[in-house]
């Protein structure tokens, strides 16, 4: 039998595939900023008891697979991660970031992960190579 997580009055398994982008879809997540974003995300998830199942930051968007306890709404978690990561990135890289602390664009994509968890994790893990193949295909067709 599958092992589920548990809280005081509930047994649960709530996994979500989440994607969001930097403001104006700028290609800002690379090098030190990308590494620091990973550290920040792991730390924020740990603080809230959220399991970061899989994650990958591309230069212009972020893919996460999170296991979120049912005591938190998905909008609360995404807002928390975007808000806190933007503040910390701005503190660490204020010399590289222009303007205000609004780093992320409004909105996000979310999809529940059910029985196809392995497919979603594999998709996130190989996102970069998939995107590169699509770009090569697009250039060949033009």
């Amino acid at each position: 039998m599958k092992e589920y997580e548990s809280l005081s009055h509930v047994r649960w398994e709530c996994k979500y595939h989440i994607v969001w982008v930097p403001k104006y879809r700028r290609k800002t997540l690379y090098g030190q900023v990308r590494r620091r974003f990973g550290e920040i995300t792991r730390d924020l998830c740990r603080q809230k008891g959220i399991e970061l199942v899989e994650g990958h930051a591309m230069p212009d968007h972020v893919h996460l697979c999170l296991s979120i306890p049912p005591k938190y709404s998905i909008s609360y978690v995404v807002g928390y991660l975007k808000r806190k990561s933007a503040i910390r990135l701005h503190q660490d890289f204020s010399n590289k970031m222009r303007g205000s602390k609004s780093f992320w664009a409004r909105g996000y994509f979310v999809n529940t992960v059910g029985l196809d968890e392995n497919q979603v994790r594999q998709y996130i893990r190989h996102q970069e190579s998939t995107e590169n193949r699509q770009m090569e295909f697009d250039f060949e067709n033009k």
Side-chain angles (χ1 to χ4, degrees), residues 29 34 37-38 55-64 124 128:
L29 294 170
R34 182 177 178 177
F37 171 73
H56 192 77
M58 298 293 292
D60 64 343
H61 64 283
V62 173
H63 284 270
L64 298 173
I124 292 171
E128 202 157 8

Side-chain angles (χ1 to χ4, degrees), residues 128-140:
E128 202 157 8
S129 60
T130 303
E131 190 168 287
N132 288 341
R133 278 196 303 258
Q134 286 176 342
M135 287 177 57
E136 290 171 7
F137 181 74
D138 290 342
F139 288 125
E140 291 172 3

Side-chain angles (χ1 to χ4, degrees), residues 73-126:
S73 71
I74 186 67
S75 61
Y76 169 78
V77 170
V78 173
Y80 173 78
L81 292 175
K82 288 172 72 172
R83 184 175 52 254
K84 294 295 187 177
S85 65
I87 291 168
R88 290 189 188 179
L89 286 172
H90 189 47
Q91 287 172 345
D92 294 348
F93 301 102
S94 59
N95 58 338
K96 292 183 181 179
M97 296 182 181
R98 307 181 294 233
S100 69
K101 294 180 184 173
S102 59
F103 183 76
W104 302 112
R106 290 181 58 184
Y108 57 93
F109 165 83
V110 65
N111 186 22
T112 56
V113 176
L115 298 175
D116 60 346
E117 176 187 350
N118 289 332
Q119 288 178 324
V120 171
R121 290 180 71 178
Q122 185 175 5
Y123 171 77
I124 292 171
R125 198 174 299 130
H126 300 293

